[in-house]
Each structure stands twice: as structure tokens, then as C-alpha cells.
Amino acid sequence: MGTNPFIELGPDDVPNHELKQGLVFYLRQAPSPAQARRVHDLYLRHCEGHIRCYRSTALGRDFVPWNREARRHFEQVLLPTLRTQEHWGYVFWDGRARDSWQFMFHGFRPHSEPGRASFYRFEFDWQVSPALVKTLAEEIARAVPFHSGWGGYFLQARKAGPSAPAALDAMYAVARRYWGVNAYNLDVSVRYLLAGYGCVSWLTLIGHGLMEAAPAVLASAKRGNPLFMETDFGVAFCLGDAPVLGDRNRQEPLEAYVTLARALAPLQIQEHASFGGTRWTEECTLQWFRRFTHPDDF
């Protein structure tokens, strides 16, 4: 195992920030019981050994152990009642403080929480095989009517507690230099990502809803970026065999990212609030999303 290039541990030995790999699918509608079961089964097929505990995403819920009986109860009792009571999502975790694996899905209530993108989110340690991430992305892209999504490196930063501002500022410093590493605050982004897609990543997913709004954009993107797959629900672009850090100081090649970003620019979100901390203003957060098309602004 190599040394994580971006990690800082807090006094509780939990990272204030760390480099990880991730995969996120944004949805226009909350996952249904049947859809969540399909994704749950796909994840378990590849990653069940990484689940040690789980909990509901409802406020105040604690993790409980994951075992054969817990799986039976979840699949036969809890999943069929998804969205009927207080439970609109679940989190599965390996229990590790660092280099952790996690699978989470959550839906937002259309009447009391309108305008937010529901999601499936996957987190892996930073050295996970890119082939596994790509395979999981391909299988889910065939199973879920996604709106948009991404896969690749991201910097996970604490968002709460006394260490949060410094952690988010560290995320800013990494984002300024390493353009292949996603800056990331899901709690903020879900409020804006129904209006378009976020930005180009190693894996970039564009759903049919966005494609139909601008068919010429998609045709252009396909011509310039041959590494893609198309499903019943959208298109997934893949920029190389593995994600890159995109070190600007070392002039790491990012031409493929720039080409795809330019092609997809009409589909990109036009507003986004600050990720948090003292350095992520609303203006520079949006400039980060546009870094591949307007490099001089960020």
C-alpha cells in the first residue's frame, strides 16, 4: 500500500481530509424499493465483503452490525417499505476511520424537499482498482434512470465540527493544483444538480433528460471522445484507463478533460453555492466547476 498523498488526521485519528475514489449517480426522483434493490444487489455482488454495518439515513439513526440476519431483514422488511415512512435511504459502511468503503442511497421528498437531486453514492479507498469502479458504474448505468454522475478521485473533507473550515480550505488548496481531484460537498450540490451536470471527471455520466435538451451537444461529445458507453438511460464517458490527479504544476496532460468539458459546456450548471470554509466563495466554487473551459478564472 502506498502513502495517501492528501491526508491529514485530526486529534481523534479521523481524517480531516483524505484522497479517495468515488462514484455518484444523481437522480431526478427518489429511489424506489425495486430500483434500490437492483443497485443494492449489484454492490453486494462486487463489494459485500466491505460491509460491516448499516443504518437508515433518517436523522438520529445509529449504525447496527451487518450480518446474514441483518441482510435478510433489510431485503425482506426494510427495503419494501422504502419511502412509505421516515426511511428514504440507507448507508452501508466498512467501519474504517480512513480508507473506508461506503455505499449510500437517499431520496428527497418531492413535496417537502423539492428541487434536490436524489442519489446513489459510493466511496472507495484511493487505491481501489479503477476497473472495479468502472464495472460498477457500467452496471448501474444500465439499471438506473440517472440524471448525471461522475467517478474518479475526490477529496473528502470534514463538513462539521471545529476542524471543518480548515478541512474545506485544504480541499480548496488541492483543487487549485490538482484538477483531476473532485472538490466535493454532496449536501450542497444536490440543491443545484437537477439543472444540469456538474463537471467533467474520469467518468462522466449524462442522462437522457440532459441529452434530449441538447442533442447536438451529445453528438459533438461523442465525436471528440470515443471512450463512452450508451445505455437506455444515458451516456457514460471514460477518459482513460484510470483517474489522474491532474497536477497543474507538473503539467500533467488533461487535454481529454478539456475536450469533453468544452463539448458538454451547454449542459453545465449555471449556479452553485459555496462548498464551505473560508476560501470557497460562491464565485470561485462555480469557477472550479468551469476550470476546464475557463482555466484562467480559477
Side-chain angles (χ1 to χ4, degrees), residues 39-75:
V39 177
H40 164 80
D41 288 349
L42 287 173
Y43 184 76
L44 264 60
R45 182 187 305 168
H46 295 287
C47 311
E48 184 174 12
H50 291 277
I51 300 177
R52 296 289 181 269
C53 54
Y54 82 109
R55 66 170 175 83
S56 167
T57 57
L59 291 176
R61 297 292 169 154
D62 295 325
F63 281 101
V64 296
W66 178 260
N67 50 39
R68 183 177 300 178
E69 178 58 27
R71 177 175 177 175
R72 185 203 64 78
H73 180 70
F74 176 75
E75 294 176 351

Side-chain angles (χ1 to χ4, degrees), residues 7-294:
I7 187 167
E8 177 187 275
L9 296 179
D12 54 0
D13 289 331
V14 174
N16 289 329
H17 63 265
E18 67 172 323
L19 181 70
K20 301 186 75 174
Q21 287 193 51
L23 175 64
V24 181
F25 286 81
Y26 295 106
L27 317 172
R28 297 200 65 86
Q29 297 180 333
S32 67
Q35 183 192 107
R37 177 61 189 267
R38 288 197 297 273
V39 177
H40 164 80
D41 288 349
L42 287 173
Y43 184 76
L44 264 60
R45 182 187 305 168
H46 295 287
C47 311
E48 184 174 12
H50 291 277
I51 300 177
R52 296 289 181 269
C53 54
Y54 82 109
R55 66 170 175 83
S56 167
T57 57
L59 291 176
R61 297 292 169 154
D62 295 325
F63 281 101
V64 296
W66 178 260
N67 50 39
R68 183 177 300 178
E69 178 58 27
R71 177 175 177 175
R72 185 203 64 78
H73 180 70
F74 176 75
E75 294 176 351
Q76 297 182 15
V77 179
L78 298 180
L79 255 185
T81 61
L82 184 70
R83 301 193 314 190
T84 63
Q85 301 176 28
E86 62 178 322
H87 305 294
W88 283 64
Y90 289 88
V91 186
F92 302 84
W93 182 38
D94 64 5
R96 295 168 58 91
R98 56 181 292 187
D99 293 325
S100 65
W101 289 44
Q102 187 177 114
F103 161 42
M104 176 182 182
F105 66 89
H106 182 75
F108 290 99
R109 296 165 173 82
H111 300 296
S112 60
E113 302 170 304
R116 300 187 185 190
S118 299
F119 58 86
Y120 292 99
R121 182 184 80 182
F122 306 84
E123 295 180 6
F124 313 93
D125 69 82
W126 72 285
Q127 296 188 107
V128 68
S129 165
L132 172 61
V133 179
K134 185 179 178 183
T135 296
L136 190 60
E138 290 176 346
E139 292 182 358
I140 295 173
R142 299 183 194 280
V144 171
F146 58 90
H147 181 65
S148 68
W150 63 268
Y153 286 131
F154 75 100
L155 196 74
Q156 185 174 72
R158 289 201 191 199
K159 296 174 292 182
S163 300
L168 291 162
D169 288 350
M171 183 173 75
Y172 178 85
V174 170
R176 289 276 294 177
R177 175 173 172 178
Y178 297 93
W179 282 17
V181 179
N182 270 343
Y184 185 53
N185 189 335
L186 183 70
D187 295 338
V188 177
S189 293
V190 294
R191 304 172 195 164
Y192 300 93
L193 285 171
L194 289 184
Y197 96 104
C199 63
V200 165
S201 300
W202 170 55
L203 302 178
T204 304
L205 296 111
I206 305 294
H208 274 322
L210 290 173
M211 291 160 49
E212 291 169 356
V217 170
L218 181 66
S220 173
K222 286 182 179 181
R223 284 196 300 271
N225 301 276
L227 293 175
F228 74 96
M229 61 167 285
E230 191 159 5
T231 77
D232 290 341
F233 304 115
V235 168
F237 294 90
C238 179
L239 301 181
D241 295 330
V244 297
L245 296 177
D247 188 342
R248 297 272 288 170
N249 287 6
R250 297 183 177 180
Q251 299 182 324
E252 189 170 358
L254 290 168
E255 288 84 356
Y257 290 70
V258 172
T259 299
L260 182 58
R262 287 174 176 169
L264 296 178
L267 307 181
Q268 196 169 34
I269 56 174
Q270 299 300 306
E271 60 179 336
H272 194 286
S274 165
F275 281 133
T278 62
R279 304 183 70 182
W280 286 107
T281 65
E282 183 173 326
E283 180 181 17
C284 76
T285 301
L286 194 56
Q287 289 170 344
W288 176 83
F289 278 99
R290 297 173 176 172
R291 66 197 182 280
F292 293 119
T293 53
H294 298 78

